[in-house]
Amino acid sequence: LTSMAAETAAELAQALAGRGRTVPGVNADLAVATAFGTAWRELTGDAVQESMRSRLYQLGELRPPEPFPPGQARVAGPADRDLIIRWCQAFHEEARSGPDNLDEMVDDRLSYHEFTLWEHDHQPVSVAGLTRQVAGQVRVGPVYTPPGQRGRGYGGAVTWAISQAARDAGAAQVVLFTDLANPTSNELYQRLGYQPTADRLILAFRKRG
């Protein structure tokens, strides 16, 4: 949900519940998410569970990672599809969120060349995705490095590379979300020049019984 009054969020929950809509959860700022979740529980009897607290960052002055890791970035192509799907599935399992139509998301982004791989010794070691540009804004994500390649700076490097590509493509605003429970990623993105702008609460709704 975008910014709105808490009362409006509760009214929205009432309107959706009244139409019999299925809502799997809500992602909004703390007050709005809480108001929507409370209203939804009272209206539907669904269990409401906190899924994640996230932080929205917006890119200021982009800075390269320090130290800069070995390797180079390249734009992913159709031949990388299976690898990217596996890595996106692994990312969403760790993040406990993500689209149901993951294959379609990957195919869509490959069609407009918005997955970037970081390679070392000609082997992919990290990936970052980018949404389509809308009204001058793009969002970075997912960013994923397999466990065996972590701690070497590859995630920061691929984020830097795809952020620069977004700027080169004319994006006025480059944003991304982080899990507040992951201090490593929050520190990393700030070193690259991302600035925190808002905190959000993600609630998941489940039918009882």
Side-chain angles (χ1 to χ4, degrees), residues 63-83:
R63 297 185 292 268
E66 295 261 349
F68 201 89
Q72 59 282 319
R74 74 166 175 85
V75 176
D80 303 300
R81 180 180 184 270
D82 290 345
L83 174 67

Side-chain angles (χ1 to χ4, degrees), residues 143-167:
V143 177
Y144 180 75
T145 304
Q149 301 290 354
R150 294 176 186 174
R152 306 178 189 184
Y154 300 142
V158 76
T159 302
W160 167 79
I162 205 167
S163 300
Q164 185 61 63
R167 281 278 173 84

Side-chain angles (χ1 to χ4, degrees), residues 8 60 63 76 79 90 94 109 116 120 141 159 176 200 203 207:
T8 303
R63 297 185 292 268
E94 290 187 19
R109 293 194 187 182
T116 294
H120 181 217
T159 302
L176 57 78
R200 298 177 71 84
L203 299 175
K207 294 294 182 185

Side-chain angles (χ1 to χ4, degrees), residues 122-135:
H122 306 292
Q123 295 297 320
V125 292
S126 192
V127 65
L130 200 67
T131 62
R132 290 181 184 272
Q133 187 174 153
V134 177

